[in-house]
Amino acid sequence: ETGVTQSPTHLIKTRGQQVTLRCSSQSGHNTVSWYQQALGQGPQFIFQYYREEENGRGNFPPRFSGLQFPNYSSELNVNALELDDSALYLCASSLAWDSVGTQYFGPGTRLTVL
Amino acid sequence: AQTVTQSQPEMSVQEAETVTLSCTYDTSESDYYLFWYKQPPSRQMILVIRQEAYKQQNATENRFSVNFQKAAKSFSLKISDSQLGDAAMYFCAYRSAYNYGQNFVFGPGTRLSVLP
């Protein structure tokens, strides 16, 4: 069974640039969620994708957007990067019909905005 | 909105001893799920244990068990026979049973050190 993978591991960008982060969900999982984890804090929910559509969103501005592909992999796009966007970005996958909704996390992408 | 509080930023325990990590949450919902995740220095969040709110019996997974007090909105994690590999950040998380798309609400975490 393949776990959740994310790429790249680390990324350095400058303010105002755009970035795309990628995630492959665990085998058989059809739902993908993205989280932002600032240093020393707990993860904050960005959004969730199911059947290639966003079906839930946290308190993040529209410059945070995403995609889910037919193979359930996903992308997180952030436009007009700000210094405060520096964080660990976590992807998590789950099964839509698992009522408990247990999420399985990837290792994260560390984004640094200079 | 739901909130999760972990009042112990840091804890330490002697190897082979028992430690309890605290978590409280605030919600007006009656049905929900609670989780403990572990995040070692490798950064990957690992599920430790989960609890359905409608179940009165406390969940147990090997050396890990919870004390779920629904009325008090408390969900503590007990680690027995602590091992060096247990050293990590531990996050308590809440998920509503009514709004699947809103996902998890995490607490700020507790850093656990295990002393040899």
Side-chain angles (χ1 to χ4, degrees):
Chain A
E1 183 178 88
T2 305
V4 179
T5 61
Q6 292 185 244
S7 63
T9 304
H10 296 90
L11 203 53
I12 299 175
K13 291 286 188 178
T14 57
R15 193 170 48 183
Q17 284 189 312
Q18 178 266 342
V19 69
T20 298
L21 310 182
R22 295 178 174 82
C23 170
S24 291
S25 61
Q26 184 164 315
S27 178
H29 285 186
N30 53 14
T31 302
V32 176
S33 303
W34 286 91
Y35 293 83
Q36 180 193 67
Q37 186 178 17
L39 196 61
Q41 297 182 22
Q44 299 289 316
F45 172 62
I46 302 175
F47 46 55
Q48 181 187 74
Y49 276 81
Y50 170 61
R51 288 187 173 180
E52 302 175 50
E53 291 193 2
E54 183 182 297
N55 75 334
R57 190 177 185 91
N59 189 26
F60 279 81
R63 59 189 186 84
F64 285 79
S65 63
L67 286 172
Q68 186 183 31
F69 301 99
N71 66 353
Y72 306 135
S73 66
S74 177
E75 288 182 355
L76 164 66
N77 299 290
V78 187
N79 293 321
L81 283 168
E82 301 176 359
L83 297 179
D84 285 348
D85 295 334
S86 295
L88 180 67
Y89 287 85
L90 297 168
C91 168
S93 70
S94 56
L95 281 167
W97 47 82
D98 172 12
S99 61
V100 179
T102 301
Q103 299 198 333
Y104 298 87
F105 286 81
T109 293
R110 171 75 65 191
L111 172 64
T112 301
V113 182
L114 302 176
Chain B
Q2 295 82 25
T3 58
V4 176
T5 302
Q6 294 177 249
S7 59
Q8 306 152 316
E10 296 186 2
M11 293 280 287
S12 63
V13 62
Q14 208 72 34
E15 197 175 3
E17 297 295 310
T18 296
V19 65
T20 298
L21 309 184
S22 300
C23 171
T24 58
Y25 56 94
D26 185 28
T27 184
S28 58
E29 298 175 336
S30 60
D31 197 13
Y32 47 87
Y33 307 99
L34 297 166
F35 303 80
W36 279 98
Y37 278 87
K38 164 186 177 181
Q39 188 176 41
S42 65
R43 309 181 322 200
Q44 187 149 9
M45 300 277 278
I46 301 165
L47 176 68
V48 175
I49 199 166
R50 65 187 189 185
Q51 174 83 41
E52 292 92 327
Y54 63 85
K55 291 186 177 179
Q56 292 187 335
Q57 186 172 7
N58 290 322
T60 299
E61 289 287 343
N62 300 312
R63 299 183 294 107
F64 300 88
S65 61
V66 298
N67 183 5
F68 173 48
Q69 301 290 328
K70 192 173 184 179
K73 296 179 183 176
S74 170
F75 183 61
S76 60
L77 174 69
K78 185 172 82 170
I79 306 174
S80 304
D81 186 25
S82 297
Q83 301 175 0
L84 295 177
D86 295 334
M89 283 292 291
Y90 285 80
F91 293 97
C92 178
Y94 170 103
R95 189 181 85 73
S96 168
Y98 302 102
N99 192 349
Y100 186 86
Q102 283 305 311
N103 270 241
F104 287 16
V105 177
F106 283 88
T110 296
R111 181 174 302 280
L112 177 66
S113 301
V114 180
L115 308 173

